[in-house]
Amino acid sequence: MLTSEQFDRARRLALRLAGIELVDRHRELLYHRSLRLGILEGNGLDELLRAAEDGDPNAGQRLVSLFTTNLTGFFRHPKHFEVAADHVLKVAKRRQARCFSAAAATGEEPYSLAMAVIEVFGDEEPRVAILATDIDVDALAVARLGEYSDRALAGLSADRLERFFTETTVNHWRIKPTVKRLVEFRALNLNDVAWRNLEGPFDVIFCRNVMMYFEASYRYSVAERLASLLAPDGLLILDPTEHLGKAGHFFARTAADSVYSRRLALFSRQLGSGMLRR
């Protein structure tokens, strides 16, 4: 098991590097992940912690990978993709629609959105651009490659598998270019002081399975920034297990579960008074 000192150091680094709040129940999880990856051998964990404390970006990235869970899957909570695609279709009648997957992990979420959009549009070249980001650069490498095992694709229908994937080897599939070209992947730490090269507005923002990890003040800051990036009639989609905390006043619930719109009047007042933090 991790020593109290090791876990306390890990907690401070998780908060500093990613705004993640580790609590006592995470101690065993962190131990088992470190054990599985061989980090506990010798002084491996202490050396990794020390390097991250000294500002080594590679060590920091390895620790962030330990802290985060890339819980994802194709068409996870399928209603979300139906709502998003229908909204994007309406927007695209006026202009190109823009979507943002803020915690894309290994790519299943933004690719699911791209497939849903193609289906709703009935066109393999819809007027839609999807930006997908994640803090974990190793996960993004998998996403950019766009290759998945049978196990990862188990929830897909046979029709979607045939339409959107090509079998490369036995039990291994690659996503087709018609889907892939709709998605751009970038590395982004949602708790960076500035979200460089990231400009709104976005018509749909997915931010699922990430808010739950943030310490309250970081959660507020991220939600506030997402509100600033959302189009006036845009939608924010969270995981059903998540909440916005004190930043909930920026958004209003819609008829769909865990789908929010922006409160325009409140947001405009705060923006005009200079209260919105950057």
Side-chain angles (χ1 to χ4, degrees):
M1 187 61 68
L2 271 64
T3 66
S4 296
E5 180 189 3
Q6 288 173 326
F7 187 58
D8 286 343
R9 293 168 70 190
R11 290 173 75 164
R12 289 193 294 270
L13 284 165
L15 193 62
R16 191 183 87 193
L17 295 173
I20 294 172
E21 184 177 32
L22 296 182
V23 295
D24 289 341
R25 70 174 183 275
H26 294 126
R27 183 170 179 169
E28 186 174 358
L29 178 64
L30 188 58
Y31 166 75
H32 285 295
R33 286 184 181 170
S34 301
L35 185 64
R36 185 175 68 250
L37 295 173
I39 295 174
L40 290 181
E41 295 177 4
N43 295 320
L45 181 58
D46 287 323
E47 291 173 358
L48 182 61
L49 292 168
R50 186 179 305 110
E53 288 165 344
D54 290 341
D56 183 331
N58 292 327
Q61 180 60 55
R62 288 186 69 194
L63 275 176
V64 166
S65 296
L66 288 176
F67 301 149
T68 54
T69 302
N70 292 318
L71 178 60
T72 187
F74 285 100
F75 289 93
R76 186 168 171 265
H77 305 305
K79 186 65 177 178
H80 285 170
F81 298 96
E82 294 176 21
V83 170
D86 286 343
H87 181 71
V88 164
L89 179 62
K90 295 174 185 176
V91 171
K93 292 176 181 178
R94 309 189 307 270
R95 56 173 172 77
Q96 184 186 47
R98 300 182 69 222
C99 303
F100 178 25
S101 171
T106 47
E108 288 90 335
E109 179 178 273
Y111 285 141
S112 295
L113 179 57
M115 287 185 270
V117 165
I118 289 172
E119 289 173 340
V120 167
F121 277 67
D123 186 346
E124 293 190 345
E125 296 184 2
R127 297 175 65 195
V128 179
I130 301 169
L131 175 64
T133 68
D134 202 88
I135 191 173
D136 189 335
V137 295
D138 292 332
L140 286 176
V142 175
R144 290 190 182 99
L145 186 62
E147 294 187 1
Y148 301 93
S149 66
D150 270 358
R151 181 178 179 182
L153 300 171
L156 280 183
S157 67
D159 288 343
R160 278 176 171 160
L161 187 62
E162 181 179 359
R163 182 176 182 183
F164 297 120
F165 290 83
T166 301
E167 190 171 15
T168 56
T169 59
V170 177
N171 300 326
H172 205 77
W173 303 75
R174 178 183 297 128
I175 201 151
K176 288 184 177 179
T178 51
V179 179
K180 202 171 186 180
R181 68 184 173 215
L182 296 180
V183 186
E184 176 191 357
F185 292 98
R186 296 184 201 167
L188 175 68
N189 182 345
L190 292 175
N191 288 290
D192 278 346
V193 173
W195 292 0
R196 295 177 178 83
N197 302 318
L198 185 64
E199 296 182 0
F202 291 100
D203 302 293
V204 174
I205 297 177
F206 278 75
C207 190
R208 305 190 305 173
N209 196 47
V210 61
M211 289 288 197
M212 66 180 73
Y213 295 107
F214 292 150
E215 185 271 336
S217 63
Y218 288 86
R219 185 185 305 122
Y220 186 96
S221 179
V222 169
E224 189 179 36
R225 288 192 192 187
L226 292 177
S228 75
L229 291 172
L230 198 61
D233 60 346
L235 300 176
L236 172 67
I237 302 178
L238 302 182
D239 191 273
T241 62
E242 294 177 305
H243 63 87
L244 290 161
K246 292 183 178 180
H249 63 282
F250 288 118
F251 302 92
R253 291 183 180 272
T254 69
D257 186 32
S258 307
V259 179
Y260 300 82
S261 61
R262 205 177 82 185
R263 291 187 187 274
L264 294 179
L266 174 63
F267 190 80
S268 299
R269 284 201 305 273
Q270 295 203 352
L271 182 60
S273 65
M275 290 176 63
L276 188 67
R277 294 172 296 185
R278 297 290 181 182

